[in-house]
Amino acid sequence: SLIGGPRGSGLVLAPLAARRFCSGHMVWVQQAAQPRQCVAVHTTFTEFGDAGKRWRLLEASLWAPLPPSYFEAGNYLTFDPPKPPADPAPCGADEGKYLRGSGVPEVPCGGEDPAHRLPRPKPRGDILGAEAATRSLRLRANLELMRRQLHALRDALAIAFILNRTLVTKH
């Protein structure tokens, strides 16, 4: 419905079409950061205040491109996290099956560690993280990679702080 202003003023108020005047939720969640038919986007409830809003608008190409000086001025330190080792492959359809009476898998594979010495097969239900790490080669490999990456990031942050540089990480 329309609401008019004082007689003769020519002022008419009306609701704006949501598909043309979009909420941030509509653009970033419902439309996967694609503005589509939006002529304006309202960036309410965006984390990190104005900087967060600018970042969101930049990602959706709704903010003017940054000038080259933005990327050239300043002191930066780049960081590439440690590369993961080869992934222990999970058990295939015919691997890692228990042979009655043997207590060890028929063919060791990247799933269960054949040398763990815990009761076999695993008891039904949930198990503690320590037991899971003892049983699983893949879990141990992933935990070790996370440890290495966190230590490398900690070191990079410390070096950037000491050198008074901005740390740049991969997106």
Side-chain angles (χ1 to χ4, degrees):
S1 70
L2 300 177
I3 301 171
R7 280 185 197 224
S9 70
L11 178 64
V12 177
L13 300 176
L16 300 173
R19 73 177 188 283
R20 306 283 291 153
F21 299 88
C22 304
S23 68
H25 184 274
M26 181 177 175
V27 172
W28 282 283
V29 176
Q30 296 173 324
Q31 297 180 174
Q34 300 298 315
R36 297 187 186 155
Q37 297 179 345
C38 302
V39 295
V41 179
H42 191 219
T43 57
T44 57
F45 309 115
T46 300
E47 293 180 12
F48 308 112
D50 290 345
K53 292 176 183 185
R54 277 191 299 276
W55 179 257
R56 277 253 156 127
L57 293 167
L58 272 166
E59 284 188 318
S61 299
L62 296 172
W63 193 268
L66 296 170
S69 62
Y70 177 85
F71 301 98
E72 295 165 358
N75 295 316
Y76 299 102
L77 178 69
T78 59
F79 171 74
D80 288 320
K83 301 289 185 245
D87 186 18
C91 295
D94 296 325
E95 296 176 314
K97 295 186 177 177
Y98 295 102
L99 297 175
R100 288 198 181 275
S102 75
V104 296
E106 179 181 332
V107 179
C109 57
E112 189 158 349
D113 183 351
H116 67 62
R117 301 192 192 299
L118 294 170
R120 295 175 197 265
K122 177 185 85 63
R124 290 185 152 285
D126 295 335
I127 60 174
L128 297 174
E131 181 179 340
T134 301
R135 287 184 180 276
S136 174
L137 295 169
R138 289 190 96 194
L139 180 58
R140 285 201 307 268
N142 283 323
L143 291 172
E144 175 59 20
L145 176 61
M146 287 190 320
R147 185 192 69 74
R148 288 178 50 226
Q149 289 178 337
L150 286 172
H151 284 199
L153 181 60
R154 176 204 60 197
D155 294 348
L157 286 166
I159 292 167
F161 178 78
I162 290 169
L163 296 176
N164 194 27
R165 294 181 179 239
T166 300
L167 184 64
V168 179
T169 62
K170 291 184 174 182
H171 188 284

